[in-house]
Amino acid sequence: MTVRIANAAGFWGDYPDATERLLASGAEFEYLQLEYLAEVTMGILDRLRDRDPEKGYATDFVEYVIAEHLADLVDREVRIVTNAGGLNPSSCAARVREHAAEQGVDVTVATVTGDDITDQLDRLHARHGLEPFEDDTRYEDVADDVVTAAAYLGAFPVAAALDSGADVVITGRVVDPALALGPLIHEYEWGREQYDRLAAGIVAGHLIECGTQVTGGNSTREWETIEYDDVGYPIVAVEPDGEIQLTKPDGTGGEVSRATVAQQLVYEIGDPQAYLTPDVAADFTAPEITEVGGDTVAITGCEGTAPPDSYKVSVHFENGYRVAGNMLYSRPDALAKAKRAASVIETRIEDRGLTVWDTRAEFVGHNAAHGPAAPARDNHNEVLLRFAARGPEREDLRRLGTEFAPLSLAGPPSVTGLTDSGRPRPRPIIDVWPTLVPKSVVDPEVSVDE
Amino acid sequence: MSDDGDGSGVSPKQAVRVDEIAYGRSGDKANTVNIGIIAESDAAYRRLERQLTADRVADLFGELIDGSVTRYQLPNLPGFNFVASEALDGGGQFSLRYDSQGKTYAAAVLRLELPPESDEERDE
């Protein structure tokens, strides 16, 4: 027996028709895994929940996966595992049940929660002393502005939800690879101390969690040769002993090779010998990657050791406002014109007494991506000025947003680009403060069709 | 072009751009950026080990990185993971940079030119 897990979403914003394409491809798999929660997504979900307490989950999942394909997935006996629940898994589950009823489909829906520890933060800090994870910002500096705090749960609650017969498992914050490891624990009854196998599940999950980024998308190696139309979403087949094969549906674009898999293995990791999750510390220097032909790659020899005794927590907090606007300047002397325009905005900020913490002028086509790492040049056909600022007052940044358009009449010549969008508007910044909490203070909860 | 045991067709006696012997990908975790660089061959890996140091990467990005750069090795790929702290102007939502998540930073490392190596450097 081999368990096959397909991915059809690498983030909230991925192709809405990914599930449709996967199903149409005829590829076979037992689990469909969809990942929606980037760090920056949590802030967006919070704003949506503020406006409507029924929201706060990834609506793409309900709209494009459940509403359109639930009956088909159930018919094929595919079970769905997703973190689309975001800040509101129960509301997401309720929408799924409504759609199931409408479609006349009988499904068991489970949620995995307990990740939301917002209400316990102050008490946890008093008892355990929450420490910063990456710089010297203290909890006291962010405490008053916290909007939500989520612990990254592991895969065992996901497995427990499947053990209780769930066809659809909707989680809040779990480590992304848990969406694949959970089904494997459920199917193979892997134990909590079978670290090498748990590590294999983490590697498999890590490789597919960004969807098409492991099947040719965003690969820097010989990208010119890759077919980007209809890049196939990844499918991992994992054996009971932890051996992995990664592939994509026949007849799709993209590429599965050592290179595409190796690039995804190193994506968004720290110390490769200790990829930390609540269930295992996976060693990413252990697996061997071998091409076995036909857009299929084998990943073998995964190893892991005991996990840390803490959960990582992302504390999301309000931290002022941000605004950004653009103006396009053409040749000749495009860069010089754009720089003069930026300096006019700087002067106006000062003259009007607008409060900003920082400003940043970037010149798209010149240095916006690589800054000082890009070679200097001065003969551009055109340059897009992108001017951004952040500060404590929404009103001051709203006023700053009115400083772009007048430059078309009052600033350097051969400028355009006012019709794409209106005045730039400030947005609240939902910043993140990562920390750790002892595992003992978090209680993962599994609810099945209450 | 002579091989000199490099396996990639690029002699250590010649300058080489990193993307001639490697490829890679970068991404973010809060205010930290990581840049994974994977060598095309064992010889390329050894050359990168000697020449693509954490300091070299830190120098390349200059003011974009406020913290420090640590280089980890993945001999199984073979490749490296460069982890730069305080590297994204506050990270995802707070950053004022267009590339607030460091998605393009691997491309900058891949455009680095490594100078020719003397025999002594190779024997080190």
Side-chain angles (χ1 to χ4, degrees), chain A residues 170-205:
Chain A
I170 296 166
T171 75
R173 193 40 119 176
V174 298
V175 292
D176 296 344
L179 301 176
L181 177 56
L184 295 167
I185 292 171
H186 163 71
E187 293 281 349
Y188 296 143
E189 299 177 353
W190 286 344
R192 286 184 183 270
E193 292 184 0
Q194 286 183 285
Y195 296 128
D196 291 350
R197 292 189 184 175
L198 297 176
I202 290 295
V203 168

PDB file of all heavy atoms in Angstrom, chain A residues 170-205:
ATOM      1  N   ILE A 170     -10.199  20.534   8.648  1.00  0.00           N
ATOM      2  CA  ILE A 170      -9.933  21.964   8.513  1.00  0.00           C
ATOM      3  C   ILE A 170      -9.188  22.429   9.755  1.00  0.00           C
ATOM      4  O   ILE A 170      -9.708  22.323  10.871  1.00  0.00           O
ATOM      5  CB  ILE A 170     -11.250  22.738   8.352  1.00  0.00           C
ATOM      6  CG1 ILE A 170     -11.929  22.315   7.038  1.00  0.00           C
ATOM      7  CG2 ILE A 170     -11.011  24.241   8.379  1.00  0.00           C
ATOM      8  CD1 ILE A 170     -13.363  22.760   6.941  1.00  0.00           C
ATOM      9  N   THR A 171      -7.989  22.910   9.576  1.00  0.00           N
ATOM     10  CA  THR A 171      -7.195  23.332  10.719  1.00  0.00           C
ATOM     11  C   THR A 171      -7.066  24.842  10.761  1.00  0.00           C
ATOM     12  O   THR A 171      -7.328  25.539   9.783  1.00  0.00           O
ATOM     13  CB  THR A 171      -5.765  22.742  10.662  1.00  0.00           C
ATOM     14  OG1 THR A 171      -5.006  23.458   9.676  1.00  0.00           O
ATOM     15  CG2 THR A 171      -5.782  21.257  10.316  1.00  0.00           C
ATOM     16  N   GLY A 172      -6.645  25.320  11.935  1.00  0.00           N
ATOM     17  CA  GLY A 172      -6.131  26.679  12.044  1.00  0.00           C
ATOM     18  C   GLY A 172      -4.647  26.597  11.739  1.00  0.00           C
ATOM     19  O   GLY A 172      -4.232  25.951  10.773  1.00  0.00           O
ATOM     20  N   ARG A 173      -3.825  27.215  12.606  1.00  0.00           N
ATOM     21  CA  ARG A 173      -2.395  27.215  12.360  1.00  0.00           C
ATOM     22  C   ARG A 173      -1.790  25.862  12.752  1.00  0.00           C
ATOM     23  O   ARG A 173      -1.890  25.450  13.893  1.00  0.00           O
ATOM     24  CB  ARG A 173      -1.773  28.341  13.201  1.00  0.00           C
ATOM     25  CG  ARG A 173      -0.365  28.717  12.868  1.00  0.00           C
ATOM     26  CD  ARG A 173      -0.088  28.735  11.425  1.00  0.00           C
ATOM     27  NE  ARG A 173       0.316  30.021  10.888  1.00  0.00           N
ATOM     28  CZ  ARG A 173       0.675  30.195   9.624  1.00  0.00           C
ATOM     29  NH1 ARG A 173       0.640  29.178   8.778  1.00  0.00           N
ATOM     30  NH2 ARG A 173       1.031  31.374   9.183  1.00  0.00           N
ATOM     31  N   VAL A 174      -1.243  25.181  11.786  1.00  0.00           N
ATOM     32  CA  VAL A 174      -0.405  24.006  12.053  1.00  0.00           C
ATOM     33  C   VAL A 174       0.858  24.221  11.217  1.00  0.00           C
ATOM     34  O   VAL A 174       0.849  25.021  10.287  1.00  0.00           O
ATOM     35  CB  VAL A 174      -1.088  22.675  11.635  1.00  0.00           C
ATOM     36  CG1 VAL A 174      -2.368  22.443  12.435  1.00  0.00           C
ATOM     37  CG2 VAL A 174      -1.388  22.641  10.139  1.00  0.00           C
ATOM     38  N   VAL A 175       1.958  23.550  11.549  1.00  0.00           N
ATOM     39  CA  VAL A 175       3.114  23.656  10.653  1.00  0.00           C
ATOM     40  C   VAL A 175       2.664  23.113   9.291  1.00  0.00           C
ATOM     41  O   VAL A 175       1.963  22.099   9.222  1.00  0.00           O
ATOM     42  CB  VAL A 175       4.361  22.909  11.185  1.00  0.00           C
ATOM     43  CG1 VAL A 175       4.902  23.583  12.436  1.00  0.00           C
ATOM     44  CG2 VAL A 175       4.092  21.437  11.434  1.00  0.00           C
ATOM     45  N   ASP A 176       3.059  23.797   8.234  1.00  0.00           N
ATOM     46  CA  ASP A 176       2.534  23.441   6.905  1.00  0.00           C
ATOM     47  C   ASP A 176       2.707  21.954   6.566  1.00  0.00           C
ATOM     48  O   ASP A 176       1.774  21.320   6.048  1.00  0.00           O
ATOM     49  CB  ASP A 176       3.185  24.310   5.817  1.00  0.00           C
ATOM     50  CG  ASP A 176       2.831  25.791   5.972  1.00  0.00           C
ATOM     51  OD1 ASP A 176       1.862  26.092   6.700  1.00  0.00           O
ATOM     52  OD2 ASP A 176       3.530  26.625   5.367  1.00  0.00           O
ATOM     53  N   PRO A 177       3.862  21.350   6.851  1.00  0.00           N
ATOM     54  CA  PRO A 177       4.036  19.937   6.459  1.00  0.00           C
ATOM     55  C   PRO A 177       3.137  18.978   7.231  1.00  0.00           C
ATOM     56  O   PRO A 177       2.993  17.812   6.833  1.00  0.00           O
ATOM     57  CB  PRO A 177       5.511  19.644   6.769  1.00  0.00           C
ATOM     58  CG  PRO A 177       6.162  20.971   6.945  1.00  0.00           C
ATOM     59  CD  PRO A 177       5.105  21.912   7.415  1.00  0.00           C
ATOM     60  N   ALA A 178       2.518  19.451   8.323  1.00  0.00           N
ATOM     61  CA  ALA A 178       1.608  18.587   9.083  1.00  0.00           C
ATOM     62  C   ALA A 178       0.401  18.183   8.242  1.00  0.00           C
ATOM     63  O   ALA A 178      -0.238  17.157   8.499  1.00  0.00           O
ATOM     64  CB  ALA A 178       1.135  19.303  10.348  1.00  0.00           C
ATOM     65  N   LEU A 179       0.102  18.964   7.217  1.00  0.00           N
ATOM     66  CA  LEU A 179      -1.039  18.649   6.353  1.00  0.00           C
ATOM     67  C   LEU A 179      -0.772  17.369   5.545  1.00  0.00           C
ATOM     68  O   LEU A 179      -1.708  16.727   5.062  1.00  0.00           O
ATOM     69  CB  LEU A 179      -1.332  19.815   5.397  1.00  0.00           C
ATOM     70  CG  LEU A 179      -1.661  21.163   6.066  1.00  0.00           C
ATOM     71  CD1 LEU A 179      -1.822  22.252   5.012  1.00  0.00           C
ATOM     72  CD2 LEU A 179      -2.911  21.069   6.928  1.00  0.00           C
ATOM     73  N   ALA A 180       0.505  17.006   5.401  1.00  0.00           N
ATOM     74  CA  ALA A 180       0.842  15.735   4.741  1.00  0.00           C
ATOM     75  C   ALA A 180       1.211  14.667   5.771  1.00  0.00           C
ATOM     76  O   ALA A 180       0.849  13.500   5.619  1.00  0.00           O
ATOM     77  CB  ALA A 180       2.011  15.943   3.767  1.00  0.00           C
ATOM     78  N   LEU A 181       1.940  15.073   6.811  1.00  0.00           N
ATOM     79  CA  LEU A 181       2.344  14.094   7.826  1.00  0.00           C
ATOM     80  C   LEU A 181       1.119  13.515   8.549  1.00  0.00           C
ATOM     81  O   LEU A 181       1.100  12.323   8.878  1.00  0.00           O
ATOM     82  CB  LEU A 181       3.313  14.745   8.832  1.00  0.00           C
ATOM     83  CG  LEU A 181       3.772  13.873  10.004  1.00  0.00           C
ATOM     84  CD1 LEU A 181       4.414  12.568   9.521  1.00  0.00           C
ATOM     85  CD2 LEU A 181       4.750  14.648  10.898  1.00  0.00           C
ATOM     86  N   GLY A 182       0.099  14.344   8.768  1.00  0.00           N
ATOM     87  CA  GLY A 182      -1.104  13.868   9.456  1.00  0.00           C
ATOM     88  C   GLY A 182      -1.712  12.642   8.782  1.00  0.00           C
ATOM     89  O   GLY A 182      -1.915  11.601   9.424  1.00  0.00           O
ATOM     90  N   PRO A 183      -2.009  12.703   7.489  1.00  0.00           N
ATOM     91  CA  PRO A 183      -2.543  11.530   6.797  1.00  0.00           C
ATOM     92  C   PRO A 183      -1.614  10.311   6.883  1.00  0.00           C
ATOM     93  O   PRO A 183      -2.090   9.176   6.981  1.00  0.00           O
ATOM     94  CB  PRO A 183      -2.668  12.014   5.345  1.00  0.00           C
ATOM     95  CG  PRO A 183      -2.866  13.482   5.446  1.00  0.00           C
ATOM     96  CD  PRO A 183      -2.083  13.918   6.641  1.00  0.00           C
ATOM     97  N   LEU A 184      -0.298  10.538   6.854  1.00  0.00           N
ATOM     98  CA  LEU A 184       0.641   9.409   6.891  1.00  0.00           C
ATOM     99  C   LEU A 184       0.633   8.745   8.266  1.00  0.00           C
ATOM    100  O   LEU A 184       0.678   7.518   8.381  1.00  0.00           O
ATOM    101  CB  LEU A 184       2.052   9.883   6.525  1.00  0.00           C
ATOM    102  CG  LEU A 184       2.164  10.384   5.079  1.00  0.00           C
ATOM    103  CD1 LEU A 184       3.467  11.140   4.863  1.00  0.00           C
ATOM    104  CD2 LEU A 184       2.058   9.215   4.102  1.00  0.00           C
ATOM    105  N   ILE A 185       0.562   9.542   9.325  1.00  0.00           N
ATOM    106  CA  ILE A 185       0.465   8.980  10.683  1.00  0.00           C
ATOM    107  C   ILE A 185      -0.823   8.171  10.794  1.00  0.00           C
ATOM    108  O   ILE A 185      -0.847   7.061  11.331  1.00  0.00           O
ATOM    109  CB  ILE A 185       0.499  10.104  11.737  1.00  0.00           C
ATOM    110  CG1 ILE A 185       1.874  10.777  11.765  1.00  0.00           C
ATOM    111  CG2 ILE A 185       0.125   9.563  13.120  1.00  0.00           C
ATOM    112  CD1 ILE A 185       1.941  12.035  12.623  1.00  0.00           C
ATOM    113  N   HIS A 186      -1.900   8.736  10.252  1.00  0.00           N
ATOM    114  CA  HIS A 186      -3.192   8.055  10.297  1.00  0.00           C
ATOM    115  C   HIS A 186      -3.137   6.721   9.544  1.00  0.00           C
ATOM    116  O   HIS A 186      -3.556   5.684  10.059  1.00  0.00           O
ATOM    117  CB  HIS A 186      -4.272   8.959   9.702  1.00  0.00           C
ATOM    118  CG  HIS A 186      -5.535   8.234   9.328  1.00  0.00           C
ATOM    119  ND1 HIS A 186      -6.403   7.732  10.258  1.00  0.00           N
ATOM    120  CD2 HIS A 186      -6.042   7.913   8.105  1.00  0.00           C
ATOM    121  CE1 HIS A 186      -7.410   7.131   9.634  1.00  0.00           C
ATOM    122  NE2 HIS A 186      -7.210   7.226   8.329  1.00  0.00           N
ATOM    123  N   GLU A 187      -2.594   6.730   8.349  1.00  0.00           N
ATOM    124  CA  GLU A 187      -2.595   5.530   7.507  1.00  0.00           C
ATOM    125  C   GLU A 187      -1.626   4.467   8.031  1.00  0.00           C
ATOM    126  O   GLU A 187      -1.929   3.278   8.009  1.00  0.00           O
ATOM    127  CB  GLU A 187      -2.216   5.888   6.068  1.00  0.00           C
ATOM    128  CG  GLU A 187      -3.253   6.748   5.344  1.00  0.00           C
ATOM    129  CD  GLU A 187      -4.433   5.943   4.826  1.00  0.00           C
ATOM    130  OE1 GLU A 187      -4.367   4.694   4.835  1.00  0.00           O
ATOM    131  OE2 GLU A 187      -5.436   6.558   4.403  1.00  0.00           O
ATOM    132  N   TYR A 188      -0.434   4.888   8.444  1.00  0.00           N
ATOM    133  CA  TYR A 188       0.628   3.929   8.778  1.00  0.00           C
ATOM    134  C   TYR A 188       0.806   3.737  10.277  1.00  0.00           C
ATOM    135  O   TYR A 188       1.695   2.985  10.690  1.00  0.00           O
ATOM    136  CB  TYR A 188       1.954   4.392   8.142  1.00  0.00           C
ATOM    137  CG  TYR A 188       1.935   4.411   6.629  1.00  0.00           C
ATOM    138  CD1 TYR A 188       2.590   5.415   5.918  1.00  0.00           C
ATOM    139  CD2 TYR A 188       1.273   3.417   5.909  1.00  0.00           C
ATOM    140  CE1 TYR A 188       2.588   5.441   4.530  1.00  0.00           C
ATOM    141  CE2 TYR A 188       1.264   3.442   4.524  1.00  0.00           C
ATOM    142  CZ  TYR A 188       1.921   4.456   3.834  1.00  0.00           C
ATOM    143  OH  TYR A 188       1.919   4.464   2.467  1.00  0.00           O
ATOM    144  N   GLU A 189       0.000   4.453  11.043  1.00  0.00           N
ATOM    145  CA  GLU A 189       0.089   4.354  12.499  1.00  0.00           C
ATOM    146  C   GLU A 189       1.512   4.562  12.992  1.00  0.00           C
ATOM    147  O   GLU A 189       1.994   3.864  13.900  1.00  0.00           O
ATOM    148  CB  GLU A 189      -0.480   3.004  12.977  1.00  0.00           C
ATOM    149  CG  GLU A 189      -1.945   2.846  12.606  1.00  0.00           C
ATOM    150  CD  GLU A 189      -2.509   1.476  12.998  1.00  0.00           C
ATOM    151  OE1 GLU A 189      -1.729   0.621  13.431  1.00  0.00           O
ATOM    152  OE2 GLU A 189      -3.726   1.307  12.872  1.00  0.00           O
ATOM    153  N   TRP A 190       2.199   5.524  12.380  1.00  0.00           N
ATOM    154  CA  TRP A 190       3.547   5.855  12.847  1.00  0.00           C
ATOM    155  C   TRP A 190       3.475   6.338  14.287  1.00  0.00           C
ATOM    156  O   TRP A 190       2.576   7.107  14.663  1.00  0.00           O
ATOM    157  CB  TRP A 190       4.166   6.950  11.975  1.00  0.00           C
ATOM    158  CG  TRP A 190       4.587   6.463  10.614  1.00  0.00           C
ATOM    159  CD1 TRP A 190       4.761   5.175  10.213  1.00  0.00           C
ATOM    160  CD2 TRP A 190       4.896   7.276   9.475  1.00  0.00           C
ATOM    161  NE1 TRP A 190       5.165   5.130   8.888  1.00  0.00           N
ATOM    162  CE2 TRP A 190       5.258   6.403   8.424  1.00  0.00           C
ATOM    163  CE3 TRP A 190       4.921   8.652   9.241  1.00  0.00           C
ATOM    164  CZ2 TRP A 190       5.633   6.859   7.165  1.00  0.00           C
ATOM    165  CZ3 TRP A 190       5.285   9.114   7.997  1.00  0.00           C
ATOM    166  CH2 TRP A 190       5.634   8.231   6.961  1.00  0.00           C
ATOM    167  N   GLY A 191       4.442   5.927  15.086  1.00  0.00           N
ATOM    168  CA  GLY A 191       4.464   6.301  16.489  1.00  0.00           C
ATOM    169  C   GLY A 191       5.202   7.616  16.719  1.00  0.00           C
ATOM    170  O   GLY A 191       5.932   8.095  15.847  1.00  0.00           O
ATOM    171  N   ARG A 192       5.011   8.159  17.906  1.00  0.00           N
ATOM    172  CA  ARG A 192       5.593   9.460  18.220  1.00  0.00           C
ATOM    173  C   ARG A 192       7.113   9.446  18.268  1.00  0.00           C
ATOM    174  O   ARG A 192       7.752  10.493  18.264  1.00  0.00           O
ATOM    175  CB  ARG A 192       5.043   9.980  19.542  1.00  0.00           C
ATOM    176  CG  ARG A 192       3.609  10.464  19.424  1.00  0.00           C
ATOM    177  CD  ARG A 192       3.098  11.073  20.712  1.00  0.00           C
ATOM    178  NE  ARG A 192       1.697  11.456  20.577  1.00  0.00           N
ATOM    179  CZ  ARG A 192       1.292  12.645  20.160  1.00  0.00           C
ATOM    180  NH1 ARG A 192       2.179  13.578  19.867  1.00  0.00           N
ATOM    181  NH2 ARG A 192       0.004  12.926  20.054  1.00  0.00           N
ATOM    182  N   GLU A 193       7.689   8.240  18.391  1.00  0.00           N
ATOM    183  CA  GLU A 193       9.155   8.204  18.451  1.00  0.00           C
ATOM    184  C   GLU A 193       9.779   7.574  17.218  1.00  0.00           C
ATOM    185  O   GLU A 193      10.978   7.301  17.193  1.00  0.00           O
ATOM    186  CB  GLU A 193       9.598   7.472  19.729  1.00  0.00           C
ATOM    187  CG  GLU A 193       9.226   8.299  20.940  1.00  0.00           C
ATOM    188  CD  GLU A 193       9.694   7.712  22.253  1.00  0.00           C
ATOM    189  OE1 GLU A 193      10.327   6.641  22.226  1.00  0.00           O
ATOM    190  OE2 GLU A 193       9.404   8.318  23.283  1.00  0.00           O
ATOM    191  N   GLN A 194       8.979   7.375  16.180  1.00  0.00           N
ATOM    192  CA  GLN A 194       9.552   6.886  14.912  1.00  0.00           C
ATOM    193  C   GLN A 194      10.046   8.096  14.116  1.00  0.00           C
ATOM    194  O   GLN A 194       9.488   8.462  13.083  1.00  0.00           O
ATOM    195  CB  GLN A 194       8.510   6.089  14.141  1.00  0.00           C
ATOM    196  CG  GLN A 194       8.262   4.703  14.751  1.00  0.00           C
ATOM    197  CD  GLN A 194       7.277   3.902  13.932  1.00  0.00           C
ATOM    198  OE1 GLN A 194       6.068   4.167  13.983  1.00  0.00           O
ATOM    199  NE2 GLN A 194       7.773   2.932  13.177  1.00  0.00           N
ATOM    200  N   TYR A 195      11.110   8.685  14.627  1.00  0.00           N
ATOM    201  CA  TYR A 195      11.521  10.002  14.125  1.00  0.00           C
ATOM    202  C   TYR A 195      11.922  10.003  12.655  1.00  0.00           C
ATOM    203  O   TYR A 195      11.666  10.979  11.942  1.00  0.00           O
ATOM    204  CB  TYR A 195      12.650  10.557  14.997  1.00  0.00           C
ATOM    205  CG  TYR A 195      12.219  10.812  16.421  1.00  0.00           C
ATOM    206  CD1 TYR A 195      12.935  10.303  17.495  1.00  0.00           C
ATOM    207  CD2 TYR A 195      11.069  11.559  16.690  1.00  0.00           C
ATOM    208  CE1 TYR A 195      12.534  10.538  18.809  1.00  0.00           C
ATOM    209  CE2 TYR A 195      10.654  11.790  17.995  1.00  0.00           C
ATOM    210  CZ  TYR A 195      11.384  11.277  19.048  1.00  0.00           C
ATOM    211  OH  TYR A 195      10.981  11.505  20.331  1.00  0.00           O
ATOM    212  N   ASP A 196      12.556   8.939  12.185  1.00  0.00           N
ATOM    213  CA  ASP A 196      12.961   8.945  10.775  1.00  0.00           C
ATOM    214  C   ASP A 196      11.729   8.958   9.859  1.00  0.00           C
ATOM    215  O   ASP A 196      11.715   9.642   8.831  1.00  0.00           O
ATOM    216  CB  ASP A 196      13.840   7.729  10.450  1.00  0.00           C
ATOM    217  CG  ASP A 196      15.210   7.829  11.121  1.00  0.00           C
ATOM    218  OD1 ASP A 196      15.520   8.910  11.665  1.00  0.00           O
ATOM    219  OD2 ASP A 196      15.953   6.836  11.100  1.00  0.00           O
ATOM    220  N   ARG A 197      10.707   8.221  10.261  1.00  0.00           N
ATOM    221  CA  ARG A 197       9.488   8.205   9.428  1.00  0.00           C
ATOM    222  C   ARG A 197       8.736   9.521   9.536  1.00  0.00           C
ATOM    223  O   ARG A 197       8.243  10.046   8.538  1.00  0.00           O
ATOM    224  CB  ARG A 197       8.610   7.034   9.844  1.00  0.00           C
ATOM    225  CG  ARG A 197       9.324   5.759   9.448  1.00  0.00           C
ATOM    226  CD  ARG A 197       8.528   4.531   9.592  1.00  0.00           C
ATOM    227  NE  ARG A 197       9.430   3.413   9.253  1.00  0.00           N
ATOM    228  CZ  ARG A 197       9.126   2.158   9.354  1.00  0.00           C
ATOM    229  NH1 ARG A 197       7.928   1.806   9.764  1.00  0.00           N
ATOM    230  NH2 ARG A 197       9.996   1.227   9.032  1.00  0.00           N
ATOM    231  N   LEU A 198       8.652  10.041  10.743  1.00  0.00           N
ATOM    232  CA  LEU A 198       7.996  11.348  10.893  1.00  0.00           C
ATOM    233  C   LEU A 198       8.741  12.398  10.061  1.00  0.00           C
ATOM    234  O   LEU A 198       8.124  13.250   9.419  1.00  0.00           O
ATOM    235  CB  LEU A 198       7.958  11.760  12.369  1.00  0.00           C
ATOM    236  CG  LEU A 198       7.145  10.850  13.301  1.00  0.00           C
ATOM    237  CD1 LEU A 198       7.275  11.314  14.755  1.00  0.00           C
ATOM    238  CD2 LEU A 198       5.666  10.824  12.899  1.00  0.00           C
ATOM    239  N   ALA A 199      10.078  12.292  10.055  1.00  0.00           N
ATOM    240  CA  ALA A 199      10.875  13.239   9.265  1.00  0.00           C
ATOM    241  C   ALA A 199      10.558  13.083   7.778  1.00  0.00           C
ATOM    242  O   ALA A 199      10.492  14.075   7.040  1.00  0.00           O
ATOM    243  CB  ALA A 199      12.365  13.031   9.518  1.00  0.00           C
ATOM    244  N   ALA A 200      10.342  11.858   7.331  1.00  0.00           N
ATOM    245  CA  ALA A 200       9.995  11.633   5.916  1.00  0.00           C
ATOM    246  C   ALA A 200       8.662  12.318   5.592  1.00  0.00           C
ATOM    247  O   ALA A 200       8.503  12.929   4.527  1.00  0.00           O
ATOM    248  CB  ALA A 200       9.911  10.141   5.614  1.00  0.00           C
ATOM    249  N   GLY A 201       7.708  12.217   6.522  1.00  0.00           N
ATOM    250  CA  GLY A 201       6.425  12.885   6.312  1.00  0.00           C
ATOM    251  C   GLY A 201       6.581  14.400   6.255  1.00  0.00           C
ATOM    252  O   GLY A 201       5.919  15.087   5.472  1.00  0.00           O
ATOM    253  N   ILE A 202       7.480  14.918   7.102  1.00  0.00           N
ATOM    254  CA  ILE A 202       7.736  16.364   7.095  1.00  0.00           C
ATOM    255  C   ILE A 202       8.383  16.784   5.778  1.00  0.00           C
ATOM    256  O   ILE A 202       8.013  17.792   5.172  1.00  0.00           O
ATOM    257  CB  ILE A 202       8.640  16.760   8.302  1.00  0.00           C
ATOM    258  CG1 ILE A 202       7.858  16.631   9.621  1.00  0.00           C
ATOM    259  CG2 ILE A 202       9.204  18.164   8.132  1.00  0.00           C
ATOM    260  CD1 ILE A 202       6.694  17.584   9.770  1.00  0.00           C
ATOM    261  N   VAL A 203       9.351  15.994   5.319  1.00  0.00           N
ATOM    262  CA  VAL A 203      10.010  16.318   4.048  1.00  0.00           C
ATOM    263  C   VAL A 203       8.987  16.276   2.908  1.00  0.00           C
ATOM    264  O   VAL A 203       8.911  17.203   2.081  1.00  0.00           O
ATOM    265  CB  VAL A 203      11.183  15.353   3.767  1.00  0.00           C
ATOM    266  CG1 VAL A 203      11.665  15.490   2.322  1.00  0.00           C
ATOM    267  CG2 VAL A 203      12.331  15.633   4.738  1.00  0.00           C
ATOM    268  N   ALA A 204       8.158  15.235   2.882  1.00  0.00           N
ATOM    269  CA  ALA A 204       7.145  15.124   1.823  1.00  0.00           C
ATOM    270  C   ALA A 204       6.205  16.333   1.862  1.00  0.00           C
ATOM    271  O   ALA A 204       5.901  16.934   0.826  1.00  0.00           O
ATOM    272  CB  ALA A 204       6.352  13.829   1.988  1.00  0.00           C
ATOM    273  N   GLY A 205       5.775  16.696   3.072  1.00  0.00           N
ATOM    274  CA  GLY A 205       4.862  17.827   3.213  1.00  0.00           C
ATOM    275  C   GLY A 205       5.523  19.140   2.839  1.00  0.00           C
ATOM    276  O   GLY A 205       4.933  19.984   2.159  1.00  0.00           O
TER     277      GLY A 205
END
